[in-house]
Amino acid sequence: MVNFSGKGGRLHSLAALLLSAVLSACSGGGQGPILGGVSVSTAPVAPTVIAVSPLPNASAVAINTKVLTARFSLAMDPATLLATSFAVACPSGTVVTGSVSYVAATKTASLTLPTTPNLPANTTCVATVTTAAIGSNGLALAAA
């Protein structure tokens, strides 16, 4: 472990002076970059779904499950999180819609299903958030 506290006041001053000189040289000072140019992309990134509940491929999900959630990597435009952009098909092809809400602080959308009927027993259900869901940066949700 390295400890820089205590002794060595002149060493600290010398290190600070050298660091300043290196940083000044690297800033370019109106000249070309050192050792060729490095391009840094600032292109916006499409949002992705980073967590869901119930978990993907979960078994033994209660048939009375009424809330499904999707957490996003970026803030989303809540106006685009609708029953048409976040739904569940149970079984495949039979869409069950509900109301969608969004909590900006956690970047989480919740799909609340109707109180009746319950999800069908022994059936594979697939929840989907479509590319109609748009991030606050204007980009559509990345396709899976």
Side-chain angles (χ1 to χ4, degrees):
M1 173 157 56
V2 178
N3 184 354
F4 287 108
S5 62
K7 301 178 186 175
R10 281 188 279 162
L11 181 59
H12 288 259
S13 298
L14 180 59
L17 180 63
L18 288 174
L19 182 59
S20 296
V22 168
L23 291 176
S24 295
C26 289
S27 70
Q31 300 175 7
I34 299 172
L35 300 177
V38 175
S39 176
V40 178
S41 174
T42 58
V45 177
T48 59
V49 175
I50 59 171
V52 294
S53 176
L55 294 173
N57 303 314
S59 59
V61 174
I63 62 171
N64 64 344
T65 298
K66 297 298 176 195
V67 178
L68 295 90
T69 63
R71 184 169 169 217
F72 301 95
S73 59
L74 301 171
M76 300 297 289
D77 177 354
T80 65
L81 294 168
L82 308 166
T84 54
S85 62
F86 188 2
V88 63
C90 227
S92 181
T94 305
V95 177
V96 179
T97 59
S99 62
V100 179
S101 59
Y102 178 69
V103 178
T106 61
K107 299 180 272 195
T108 302
S110 297
L111 170 63
T112 303
L113 301 175
T115 55
T116 58
N118 285 333
L119 297 173
N122 303 315
T123 303
T124 299
C125 300
V126 178
T128 304
V129 181
T130 70
T131 55
I134 306 291
S136 61
N137 62 0
L139 295 178
L141 184 71

